[in-house]
Amino acid sequence: TDPFEHFPQYEPSLTHMDLKDVGVAQEANLIVLAIVDVNRSPPTMNLSAPLLIHWANNTGKQLLFPHNTEHPL
């Protein structure tokens, strides 16, 4: 799901290598999605390992930010 919809202050730090891995030079045209665990009560969103997706060239990767944690929705 879109993490910015639930946590507008969320700012994942993308590196040059992250952008290169998905085949872009800048952050435009990228989508960041977060995994939601609906088996918890309340459901939680994992902001420490979002998905970085570039739809135009069908590439993506999972990022890892150890400083973030799961956040209740």
Side-chain angles (χ1 to χ4, degrees):
T1 191
D2 181 352
F4 307 106
E5 185 176 315
H6 299 280
F7 301 97
Q9 74 285 2
Y10 180 58
E11 294 183 25
S13 299
L14 303 178
T15 67
H16 176 70
M17 186 57 88
D18 293 331
L19 299 177
K20 184 178 177 183
D21 287 346
V22 295
V24 297
Q26 51 189 309
E27 293 183 31
N29 301 318
L30 294 176
I31 297 173
V32 175
L33 297 175
I35 297 170
V36 175
D37 184 351
V38 296
N39 292 316
R40 293 188 182 205
S41 182
T44 59
M45 182 178 294
N46 184 348
L47 298 180
S48 63
L51 304 173
L52 178 64
I53 301 171
H54 185 251
W55 290 114
N57 64 7
N58 295 314
T59 58
K61 71 180 280 185
Q62 188 168 20
L63 306 171
L64 180 59
F65 304 121
H67 59 277
N68 289 317
T69 60
E70 293 184 350
H71 298 274
L73 294 178

